Amino acid sequence: KGIAVATGDVFNWINADDYLEKDILKTIAYTFSHNDIDVLCTSTNLVDQNGVFLRVNEATPSDWSFHKLMQYGGLNQQGMYWKMDVIKELKGVNSHFNYSMDLDLWKRYLLTKGKNKTMPLDLLTANFRLLSTSKTGADFEVNFHLFEEENSAALQMYAKILGDRYAKPMAY
């Protein structure tokens, strides 16, 4: 719903309890204005509920083959910045997904656009807060099968487009 009413040229999907690094939007704007890119992939911090550093989440890989990506079960969503017109061209996220809608959006992008206009950047841009009450928090192990089910559903959709070689079960 938010994508439908969002304005601006660059889009970032950040959860309500997460936060950006100080003054990072200036750097993001500069990067987009000086490079012909659709998606910028950056690193983020994983922090606990009090903001205590746990680890760095590396940038989402933008140089993998589509087949390798189809086997990939994660995404550094908070560290991805998109051209807004590309998000709208892709018609936003698939509302049938509750757990892997961001990963599905990334796969659809790479399927339709390729990787030539993606840019990995060794830059820390956001902080993802891991809460016990979130889908990716303490209940992640319990809910992991839901991520897998949605990824499998996406895989079946892509198999219809690309052929059966993508319908093999994903290995995590």
Side-chain angles (χ1 to χ4, degrees), residues 133-146:
T133 56
S134 69
K135 289 187 282 189
T136 50
D139 288 338
F140 181 73
E141 297 298 323
V142 174
N143 293 330
F144 186 71
H145 72 282
L146 299 171

Side-chain angles (χ1 to χ4, degrees), residues 17 22 35 56 65-66 70 72 85 88 97 106 108 139 149 151 163 166:
D17 53 345
K22 184 175 172 55
N35 295 280
V56 172
S65 69
F66 188 76
M70 291 306 294
Y72 184 60
D85 59 341
K88 290 191 177 189
F97 294 148
W106 181 230
R108 282 189 287 126
D139 288 338
E149 288 170 14
N151 278 327
Y166 293 99

Side-chain angles (χ1 to χ4, degrees), residues 26-79:
K26 293 175 189 175
T27 303
I28 300 300
Y30 179 87
T31 303
F32 271 94
S33 67
H34 287 81
N35 295 280
D36 183 23
I37 58 173
D38 288 339
V39 184
L40 177 65
C41 301
T42 68
S43 299
T44 63
N45 282 329
L46 179 67
V47 299
D48 71 11
Q49 61 190 13
N50 300 314
V52 175
F53 173 82
L54 299 172
R55 72 169 190 264
V56 172
N57 290 329
E58 294 182 12
T60 297
S62 61
D63 61 344
W64 287 359
S65 69
F66 188 76
H67 187 266
K68 186 171 182 178
L69 179 71
M70 291 306 294
Q71 298 175 23
Y72 184 60
L75 184 76
N76 191 354
Q77 163 207 311
Q78 293 78 11

